[in-house]
Amino acid sequence: MKEILPGVFHWKTFHEGIQAYVHSYYLHATDPPVLIDPRVPAQGIEWFAAHDAPQHIYLTNRHHYRHSDRFAERYGAQVWCHKDGLHEFTHGEKVRGFSHGKTLPGGVLALKVAALCPEETALYLPLHGGILSVGDAIVRERGRLGFVPDAYMGDDPEGVKRGLRKAFLKHLRDREFDHLLFAHGAPWIGGARSGLQAFLDRLER
């Protein structure tokens, strides 16, 4: 685990289900502390007991439940997903729904992305000049921003990409942020807003 900003921790783990590394975040800087798209880090779940235990877990979409049940059991953390993704949880998972546009515990604002799936959410945190956390909507590979492969975008990949571009252009207009956290890819600390703008601009060429 690495503290990438004061009170913001990042780690990656290998996800056997998709045969790829994925990324998770712990925000000690919020009140109360929260997790985003968590898997248990190499340091183990007890690492969090030595800090302030997470009280809320936010999923950027329904597919990112990952190890949330372990944190919920160990620390009593409440798991949250946008209400349109709650149909995924049919095996007794205790997941609470939220609506886009709502401010959640810890001061986390749930921003609508959709396009890729109805519950796709970007999480905005007004910390350190602004942090935007994204799920499957935008990925970062070898330092470059991109989308997931077309095969994961349904019957109209180009339409989905247009929808994602529209959503993030709106967030660029409405929010100030300097950092991006990715579920798939290393976080971009400092200058991320201009990097996202440049990526979206290239899509129009």
Side-chain angles (χ1 to χ4, degrees):
M1 297 179 70
K2 182 179 180 181
E3 189 171 16
I4 54 176
L5 290 165
V8 180
F9 292 82
H10 158 256
W11 66 100
K12 71 176 183 178
T13 54
F14 188 75
H15 192 305
E16 298 83 0
I18 63 173
Q19 290 292 294
Y21 284 97
V22 297
H23 298 254
S24 304
Y25 301 90
Y26 164 66
L27 291 105
H28 179 269
T30 59
D31 185 16
V34 305
L35 291 164
I36 298 175
D37 295 341
R39 282 174 56 90
V40 175
Q43 289 84 349
I45 201 166
E46 293 302 322
W47 181 91
F48 299 87
H51 299 72
D52 289 334
Q55 296 185 29
H56 296 274
I57 299 169
Y58 296 119
L59 312 183
T60 51
N61 64 58
R62 70 187 191 274
H63 302 298
H64 289 181
Y65 188 73
R66 296 177 175 176
H67 291 161
S68 293
D69 55 342
R70 304 184 192 185
F71 288 97
E73 181 178 354
R74 174 63 180 83
Y75 296 112
Q78 173 65 62
V79 184
W80 297 78
C81 180
H82 185 270
K83 59 184 180 179
D84 286 344
L86 294 182
H87 65 275
E88 179 82 3
F89 307 108
T90 59
H91 300 288
E93 303 97 329
K94 296 179 180 179
V95 182
R96 187 171 178 179
F98 61 77
S99 299
H100 288 139
K102 297 296 184 180
T103 299
L104 304 169
V108 179
L109 178 60
L111 300 178
K112 182 178 181 179
V113 177
L116 192 62
C117 59
E119 79 277 6
E120 186 75 25
T121 300
L123 302 170
Y124 178 76
L125 301 102
L127 304 170
H128 307 306
I131 299 171
L132 193 67
S133 178
V134 301
D136 291 342
I138 297 177
V139 301
R140 190 180 188 210
E141 185 174 358
R142 295 173 183 167
R144 294 179 60 85
L145 302 186
F147 294 129
V148 296
D150 287 2
Y152 297 108
M153 289 192 172
D155 296 331
D156 184 16
E158 294 308 314
V160 170
K161 292 172 190 177
R162 288 193 295 271
L164 293 174
R165 181 178 185 275
K166 181 179 179 180
F168 281 101
L169 284 174
K170 173 176 170 52
H171 300 325
L172 281 166
R173 289 194 301 269
D174 295 347
R175 306 287 163 197
E176 289 295 328
F177 59 91
D178 200 33
H179 319 287
L180 278 168
L181 309 183
F182 300 92
H184 300 281
W188 189 333
I189 303 303
R193 191 177 192 278
S194 60
L196 178 58
Q197 181 71 69
F199 167 66
L200 297 174
D201 288 346
R202 286 197 299 272
L203 297 178
E204 275 292 280
R205 295 174 188 169

